[in-house]
Amino acid sequence: MIAVHILGEKEAFEAIDWEVIFLLMGMMVLVHIISQTGVFQWIAIKLAQAVKGEPFPIMLLLVLVTAVFSAFLDNVTTVLLIAPVSILLAEQLQLSPIPFLIAEALASNIGGTATMIGDPPNILIGMSAGLTFNEFLTHLSPIILLNLVVFIVTLWLLFGKEFHVSRDLKAKIMDLDADRALRDRGLLVKSLIILAAVIAGFLTHSATGIGPATIAFGGAVILSILAKQEPEEVFKPMEW
């Protein structure tokens, strides 16, 4: 377009929505730092132990956790963090991990649609339409909740009666040490505080007048400083 002079260079660069880019960058940095604490793996193991190693309830809880995390964090990263633990749990129960992984991938798409920051297309739509975080949530969350219920019923029809494991295999799940998954408790506390502040900022940005991009990137900068990480480390895993 620039080469054939349909669009000037100045117009081309002005057309870039920097708010979308900085919002994505901020959330990617936040998720990267939080993932280093091991909290996602800890939650997955604790949930599996809460249902005494029963296969279908484990799948159900992993699906719900994936959907909730995907509503506020990057979908791909969420699945990549939950998937290894799901494979571990399935192997302990001597079940195929494939149903767990497919269910989590679908749950991630469902959950990621619920909020403006759940997926890059949501961000583009929300910013272009001038929707606030709360407006986006109000319009989509009821449909997503219904979608999630239908999805869970579908999973039960497909797998509810298929998963049968012995007591010995369930006992293996109960023997897993979830605390070993937590690699940095100090960073975890800092991460949760900043993440809570960022989400609170999203929910109130229409009142404060501070845009989602500023909130997300500001949170990412503060957490990077608190984590004492070099900029190269923080930006290396970003999906440029």
Side-chain angles (χ1 to χ4, degrees), residues 56-148:
F56 185 73
I58 289 175
M59 172 185 272
L60 178 60
L61 289 176
L62 289 175
V63 159
L64 291 173
V65 165
T66 303
V68 171
F69 282 166
S70 295
F72 298 98
L73 307 175
D74 173 54
N75 288 12
V76 176
T77 307
T78 301
V79 173
L80 288 174
L81 291 168
I82 298 294
V85 190
S86 303
I87 294 170
L88 169 66
L89 295 172
E91 287 176 346
Q92 293 289 324
L93 295 170
Q94 295 183 8
L95 294 171
S96 170
I98 293 173
F100 290 84
L101 297 177
I102 292 175
E104 287 157 13
L106 293 170
S108 179
N109 281 332
I110 294 169
T113 310
T115 68
M116 195 169 77
I117 59 169
D119 237 349
N122 297 19
I123 298 170
L124 291 166
I125 292 166
M127 294 295 186
S128 299
L131 295 171
T132 65
F133 184 88
N134 290 346
E135 286 171 341
F136 203 98
L137 188 67
T138 303
H139 284 83
L140 269 177
S141 56
I143 299 168
I144 294 308
L145 287 172
L146 178 62
N147 197 338
L148 195 58

Side-chain angles (χ1 to χ4, degrees), residues 4-216:
V4 296
H5 299 290
I6 293 174
L7 197 67
E9 287 185 23
K10 187 173 184 295
E11 293 174 289
F13 282 104
E14 285 177 348
I16 296 171
D17 195 332
W18 293 105
E19 193 169 7
V20 172
I21 290 175
F22 275 89
L23 178 52
L24 283 169
M25 286 172 64
M27 294 309 297
M28 285 179 185
V29 170
L30 284 171
V31 172
H32 167 64
I33 296 175
I34 294 169
S35 69
Q36 294 176 342
T37 67
V39 66
F40 297 102
Q41 293 84 346
W42 181 86
I43 290 172
I45 294 171
K46 283 292 186 182
L47 289 174
Q49 292 175 339
V51 293
K52 310 296 184 185
E54 290 289 343
F56 185 73
I58 289 175
M59 172 185 272
L60 178 60
L61 289 176
L62 289 175
V63 159
L64 291 173
V65 165
T66 303
V68 171
F69 282 166
S70 295
F72 298 98
L73 307 175
D74 173 54
N75 288 12
V76 176
T77 307
T78 301
V79 173
L80 288 174
L81 291 168
I82 298 294
V85 190
S86 303
I87 294 170
L88 169 66
L89 295 172
E91 287 176 346
Q92 293 289 324
L93 295 170
Q94 295 183 8
L95 294 171
S96 170
I98 293 173
F100 290 84
L101 297 177
I102 292 175
E104 287 157 13
L106 293 170
S108 179
N109 281 332
I110 294 169
T113 310
T115 68
M116 195 169 77
I117 59 169
D119 237 349
N122 297 19
I123 298 170
L124 291 166
I125 292 166
M127 294 295 186
S128 299
L131 295 171
T132 65
F133 184 88
N134 290 346
E135 286 171 341
F136 203 98
L137 188 67
T138 303
H139 284 83
L140 269 177
S141 56
I143 299 168
I144 294 308
L145 287 172
L146 178 62
N147 197 338
L148 195 58
V149 169
V150 173
F151 179 56
I152 289 169
V153 172
T154 305
L155 288 177
W156 183 81
L157 292 172
L158 288 172
F159 306 113
K161 297 178 181 179
E162 296 294 320
F163 293 149
H164 298 289
V165 298
S166 67
R167 289 184 179 180
D168 291 340
L169 293 176
K170 294 175 187 177
K172 285 186 177 182
I173 300 295
M174 302 307 293
D175 290 337
L176 293 173
D177 186 1
D179 290 338
R180 289 183 61 185
L182 293 177
R183 297 186 289 273
D184 192 332
R185 293 172 186 268
L187 180 58
L188 173 59
V189 173
K190 296 172 186 175
S191 299
L192 292 178
I193 291 171
I194 297 299
L195 181 61
V198 168
I199 293 172
F202 289 147
L203 294 172
T204 58
H205 80 89
S206 57
T208 62
I210 303 173
T214 305
I215 293 165

